[in-house]
Amino acid sequence: MSASAFLEIFDVSKSYGTSKAVDSVSLQVQEGEFVSFLGPSGSGKTTTLQMIAGFVQPDAGTIRLGNRDLTTVPPHKRDIGIVFQNYALFPHLTVAQNVAFPLKMRRVAASEIKARVSRALERVRLADFADRKPTTLSGGQQQRVALARAFVFEPRVLLMDEPLGALDKKLREGLQYEITEITHSLGITTIYVTHDQDEALAMSDRIAIYNDGAIEQIGTGRDLYEKPASLFVATFMGDSNVIPGSLVGTDGAIATAVGQLDGRPAPSVAGSGDGVDACLLVRPENIALVAPAKGGVGVECTVESIVYLGASQRVRVTVPGLGPLTVAQDPSEGLADLHPGQRVRATWRPTDAVTLLGSPKARDRTPAHV
Amino acid sequence: MTRWSKVPLVAVAALVGLFLALPTFVLVPLSFTDERTLRFPPDSYSVRWYRNFFESPQWLDAAAHSLAVGLSTAALSTVLGVPIAMSLARSRHRLLPLVNVLVIGPALVPPVIVAIGMFGVLAELDLNRSFPGLVAAHTVLALPVVVIAVLASARTLDVTVERAAASLGASPVRVFVHTVLPAIAPGVVIGALYGFVTSWDELVVSLFITGPTYQTLPVQMWNQVRNTADPTAVAVSTMLITLSTIVLVTAYLVTRARSDRKRRPL
Ligand SMILES: Nc1ncnc2c1ncn2[C@@H]1O[C@H](COP(=O)(O)OP(=O)(O)OP(=O)(O)O)[C@@H](O)[C@H]1O
Ligand SMILES: [Mg+2]
């Protein structure tokens, strides 16, 4: 893989004072790939992006693009387009002049500039706004100008730092589609920073989950959701039930307050011994509620509340000695006449449970999705 | 505010305006007097005192000196003031507050103190009564004005716009020319204009460091009015007021052009 990687970040670090903004990040991106950086505020996403763009000098590590070492190349010679959250358009230039700027800097012939600018503006549906000043456009329109300006010179990599962060939800969804449509049809390698999990899932080939200056895990959305490598990734991506306990052997079994439970061990479990803090992750949609007499992997519990959501319903149950679990189910399936106070059994297939190292209490900082 | 409650405000404003403008109403007719003494209103009118100005080598020299010193001061204080203002707006170096105090300081100190200090320093360097000495002294006075004017527009500058320009292929020089300069241009123009005006009508410091061999217009006027009180000084004043008005109107138009651009119709 590393031989063919187009953009390669190797062991890059950056500190501000005593705090490490980025701590030995490595990443390989294939040509034409769309990779998102997703993670909590202050986890080092922007700093990584700025190092790729050349605005921040890494303390250590190398960045290579198409087999050329970029580490000491100044930003204007990197051939990397960048789109910022606040648009960063040139206020004294018209929309067309903004888009023409990178071509002018490259001394492209005037006739070609004209043709390429109008093609780019058509792509972002702004052909009618060519002679307007950017400040007379709406936020979504301004960001489309910034996008056209960033891809018109066919950069080798396109970086976007929360480009839709300032726009409202409805507009965001339309633009998400528009952006991926453009980057895919032009085959531009893209790195996209976002706070929004759904956005990352909708747009990316792969997602890098950032935590504390490091990439916790990188993979497709499905990988991250179904095979999280750490408790952080598991709880950051989607809703989850976390049952705390300690390892029994290395096959994924853990001892909990309600007895031993089995799960698929995450790779990190293999190297750990008996008694280490660990927990079992079960997604709400993988739990089924059955009559208490029925067997199967699971726990006895009492129904607390039922919230009907149309296509699904969320059932909250309490497990004595363990606490609450959330169950998402199809309202038309499962036990008929489910009601609060009812004693039931929550079961799941052992392959749907993942055993992860760590204990949820040490992870108070992670967003609670349950 | 209702229509009636505005009346006192308008009245006070009108009175203050009248008070400020009154000398001008006296000065302009007086400059066209045909008499040798300053009496208002004059009995007869002529342009003889204007002619006197343009025929007197002493007056013309003083005007030429003022123009040269003013333009040089404007240029020098702009060249120094723009980078200072940019770093004050940008950098977070811990010594910058000190730079700020040093640059803005002369604007807060009474002119006489600056004048005495300047006189001492320039005497040490043997630059009193010379063109370079005067430009140096006036630049010290004009620099705060330039820095404040440029700072006002530099503060509105967005670093990400510069970064965007760099990522699009602009070298540092072109980033400055294409993004920074257009944004701070109105501030630079206003700064240079005020820098010129600061030097052009500076009297106190100039009195200390000019002499009979090298005089500026304000110093020449001061000496004339004190010694002979001949109406040439009034004619010169009228011309100076005209010039200042032109400069201020230009500055106003530049400011208005800038605020027009900032407005965002949706
Ligand atoms: N110029 C700087 N000076 C000092 N500290 C900085 C600087 N830039 C970033 N940091 C710190 O580095 C850490 C990582 O910041 P970064 O901007 O990369 O986070 P982020 O993941 O982009 O966060 P967000 O989602 O809020 O944009 C933060 O703790 C931040 O305070
Ligand atoms: Mg950021």
Side-chain angles (χ1 to χ4, degrees), chain A residues 42 44-47 85 161-162 193 195:
Chain A
K45 307 180 295 290
T46 296
T47 306
Q85 180 174 350
D161 196 348
E162 303 192 39
V193 172
H195 262 124

Side-chain angles (χ1 to χ4, degrees), chain A residues 220-261:
Chain A
T220 62
R222 187 168 192 150
D223 277 348
L224 298 173
Y225 191 75
E226 292 179 357
K227 297 178 209 149
S230 69
L231 194 53
F232 176 84
V233 174
T235 49
F236 192 78
M237 292 293 288
D239 297 347
S240 53
N241 292 298
V242 177
I243 303 170
S246 59
L247 280 186
V248 179
T250 53
D251 291 336
I254 69 167
T256 73
V258 292
Q260 185 169 323
L261 293 170

Side-chain angles (χ1 to χ4, degrees), chain B residues 2-35:
Chain B
T2 68
R3 209 143 61 94
W4 288 111
S5 66
K6 272 189 193 158
V7 169
L9 184 70
V10 171
V12 169
L15 273 175
V16 170
L18 195 67
F19 182 72
L20 289 175
L22 210 54
T24 314
F25 294 140
V26 177
L27 220 57
V28 176
L30 207 54
S31 72
F32 290 99
T33 183
D34 195 26
E35 293 155 52

Side-chain angles (χ1 to χ4, degrees), chain A residues 14-17 19-22 37-50 56 85 161-162 193-195 210 213, chain B residues 92 163:
Chain A
K14 177 73 193 177
S15 299
Y16 290 107
S19 76
K20 285 208 155 186
V22 169
F37 290 175
L38 179 66
S41 190
S43 57
K45 307 180 295 290
T46 296
T47 306
T48 308
L49 214 65
Q50 302 277 10
V56 171
Q85 180 174 350
D161 196 348
E162 303 192 39
V193 172
T194 177
H195 262 124
Y210 266 78
Chain B
R92 293 191 206 125
R163 292 192 160 178

Side-chain angles (χ1 to χ4, degrees), chain A residues 75-353:
Chain A
H76 68 282
K77 292 193 178 144
R78 291 197 179 197
D79 221 11
I80 289 177
I82 182 157
V83 176
F84 297 94
Q85 180 174 350
N86 66 351
Y87 324 131
L89 296 171
F90 307 128
H92 59 287
L93 300 181
T94 64
V95 166
Q97 286 166 339
N98 264 278
V99 178
F101 187 85
L103 302 175
K104 276 209 174 125
M105 292 298 119
R106 284 169 177 73
R107 303 185 198 287
V108 174
S111 57
E112 195 189 333
I113 292 184
K114 204 160 171 246
R116 282 169 75 174
V117 166
S118 63
R119 232 181 306 143
L121 285 179
E122 249 154 53
R123 267 223 107 96
V124 295
R125 297 180 290 116
L126 286 175
D128 294 341
F129 296 82
D131 298 323
R132 296 263 290 264
K133 285 286 172 68
T135 47
T136 66
L137 303 184
S138 73
Q141 289 168 333
Q142 289 188 54
Q143 196 57 297
R144 288 187 346 240
V145 176
L147 181 64
R149 188 180 65 173
F151 73 67
V152 72
F153 64 103
E154 292 168 7
R156 306 216 289 165
V157 176
L158 183 58
L159 306 176
M160 298 195 232
D161 196 348
E162 303 192 39
L164 310 181
L167 307 175
D168 65 58
K169 192 159 173 58
K170 203 150 189 93
L171 203 55
R172 273 210 312 258
E173 280 166 10
L175 273 170
Q176 286 168 11
Y177 175 76
E178 210 168 323
I179 290 172
T180 47
E181 203 269 321
I182 288 171
T183 57
H184 281 145
S185 67
L186 298 177
I188 304 181
T189 311
T190 308
I191 296 188
Y192 189 98
V193 172
T194 177
H195 262 124
D196 181 341
Q197 191 188 124
D198 295 334
E199 190 167 294
L201 286 169
M203 301 178 79
S204 326
D205 297 322
R206 286 191 298 155
I207 302 171
I209 303 287
Y210 266 78
N211 183 28
D212 252 346
I215 295 181
E216 286 261 334
Q217 189 178 0
I218 178 159
T220 62
R222 187 168 192 150
D223 277 348
L224 298 173
Y225 191 75
E226 292 179 357
K227 297 178 209 149
S230 69
L231 194 53
F232 176 84
V233 174
T235 49
F236 192 78
M237 292 293 288
D239 297 347
S240 53
N241 292 298
V242 177
I243 303 170
S246 59
L247 280 186
V248 179
T250 53
D251 291 336
I254 69 167
T256 73
V258 292
Q260 185 169 323
L261 293 170
D262 288 329
R264 255 184 314 119
S268 56
V269 170
S272 308
D274 264 12
V276 171
D277 276 352
C279 49
L280 205 65
L281 168 98
V282 192
R283 300 289 182 190
E285 65 275 16
N286 289 334
I287 301 180
L289 298 178
V290 297
K294 270 197 145 180
V297 177
V299 291
E300 301 274 327
C301 51
T302 312
V303 175
E304 279 288 313
S305 62
I306 303 163
V307 178
Y308 178 76
L309 297 167
S312 71
Q313 67 184 12
R314 310 228 119 201
V315 185
R316 211 169 156 80
V317 299
T318 312
V319 185
L322 209 61
L325 292 180
T326 304
V327 180
Q329 55 171 217
D330 188 330
S332 61
E333 284 177 3
L335 291 174
D337 187 33
L338 203 61
H339 58 268
Q342 190 176 351
R343 291 201 50 82
V344 293
R345 187 173 168 76
T347 68
W348 55 85
R349 291 182 305 178
T351 49
D352 283 337

Side-chain angles (χ1 to χ4, degrees), chain B residues 185-242:
Chain B
V188 174
V189 171
I190 290 174
L193 279 175
Y194 287 168
F196 176 80
V197 171
T198 301
S199 162
W200 181 254
D201 65 19
E202 205 292 319
L203 177 64
V204 179
V205 174
S206 305
L207 270 179
F208 274 73
I209 59 179
T210 55
T213 52
Y214 196 95
Q215 287 195 339
T216 60
L217 212 44
V219 175
Q220 165 78 3
M221 287 168 72
W222 168 261
N223 288 335
Q224 284 289 311
V225 172
R226 273 181 9 137
N227 298 337
T228 58
D230 102 25
T232 312
V234 180
V236 175
S237 299
T238 305
M239 290 190 280
L240 289 185
I241 287 168
T242 312

